[in-house]
Amino acid sequence: DTAVSQTPKYLVTQMGNDKSIKCEQNLGHDTMYWYKQDSKKFLKIMFSYNNKELIINETVPNRFSPKSPDKAHLNLHINSLELGDSAVYFCASSQDMGAPNQPQHFGDGTRLSIL
Amino acid sequence: AQSVTQPDIHITVSEGASLELRCNYSYGATPYLFWYVQSPGQGLQLLLKYFSGDTLVQGIKGFEAEFKRSQSSFNLRKPSVHWSDAAEYFCAVGEGSQGNLIFGKGTKLSVKP
């Protein structure tokens, strides 16, 4: 059973398009995250949600809009895609944002390539 | 501000040799420290974590790490590396109030036969 699953695994699209990445966790966790990994493998937090409520919104263009329909899902919608959006996007979840000792469980990532 | 430094971008070791990957952190309070491994095309898998107690922690796949507060370090070690250990390794500190992870830039491990 996959604990944190993301779809699609690969996404190739043209500049200016709008796309969504979906994430689901079956761990019963309260907190979910989106991270961006750039071409140099650097990972940086983008957003976190706790029980469907936005907690962290780092300096991310407002073309990126997370949506959490329930605490098991955190989707990422990106408008007007730009070349610089090419990266691997990872979804993660943890039991409780107030317990930083709890590890985060990561999905396998979505590799987004902008043509 | 919290930060994590992994000084080595790329390390190559021979199979069967010992391994140490360095990690230094900057954090005001008691740090929650993690090591993750990322195999090519895969997500991140937790190797081990430290948040209190014994400063030498054991993880999966034969890895261990030692927390040294005086040196602000949390180095990862393995006594004998296997070819399957070739991957990218990330050290991270858990940010206390909001729970997100602050990652180092990673160390790529190559294993030669």
Side-chain angles (χ1 to χ4, degrees), chain B residues 2-3 5-6 20-21 23-24 26-27 29 32 34-35 38 52 54 56-57 59 61 70 77-78 82 89 98-99 106:
Chain B
Q2 303 93 329
S3 66
T5 302
Q6 293 181 246
E20 183 169 30
L21 302 182
C23 172
N24 293 97
S26 170
Y27 192 72
Y32 299 93
F34 304 84
W35 275 100
Q38 183 181 23
S52 68
D54 194 345
L56 184 64
V57 292
K61 304 185 181 188
S70 61
R77 302 195 292 246
K78 186 169 184 178
H82 188 261
Y89 290 79
Q98 295 178 325

Side-chain angles (χ1 to χ4, degrees), chain B:
Chain B
Q2 303 93 329
S3 66
V4 177
T5 302
Q6 293 181 246
D8 304 305
I9 297 173
H10 189 184
I11 284 182
T12 301
V13 299
S14 298
E15 192 167 15
S18 63
L19 171 69
E20 183 169 30
L21 302 182
R22 297 184 289 165
C23 172
N24 293 97
Y25 66 89
S26 170
Y27 192 72
T30 300
Y32 299 93
L33 295 161
F34 304 84
W35 275 100
Y36 283 85
V37 60
Q38 183 181 23
S39 298
Q42 301 294 314
L44 282 79
Q45 181 183 21
L46 179 70
L47 285 176
L48 47 78
K49 63 179 182 178
Y50 170 81
F51 53 93
S52 68
D54 194 345
T55 56
L56 184 64
V57 292
Q58 303 297 321
I60 62 170
K61 304 185 181 188
F63 285 92
E64 66 178 27
E66 187 171 13
F67 170 63
K68 292 186 178 179
R69 187 185 296 276
S70 61
Q71 298 177 20
S72 297
S73 69
F74 188 56
N75 294 348
L76 182 71
R77 302 195 292 246
K78 186 169 184 178
S80 177
V81 167
H82 188 261
W83 64 266
S84 61
D85 294 324
E88 192 91 23
Y89 290 79
F90 293 93
C91 181
V93 62
E95 200 280 331
S97 61
Q98 295 178 325
N100 62 298
L101 293 172
I102 298 167
F103 284 91
K105 293 191 174 182
T107 297
K108 181 177 179 179
L109 173 66
S110 296
V111 180
K112 56 183 181 180

Side-chain angles (χ1 to χ4, degrees), chain A residues 44-57:
Chain A
K44 189 171 180 187
I45 184 75
M46 298 175 70
F47 302 102
S48 74
Y49 269 72
N50 188 60
N51 231 340
K52 303 196 300 176
E53 181 185 344
L54 178 65
I55 302 300
I56 294 174
N57 183 354

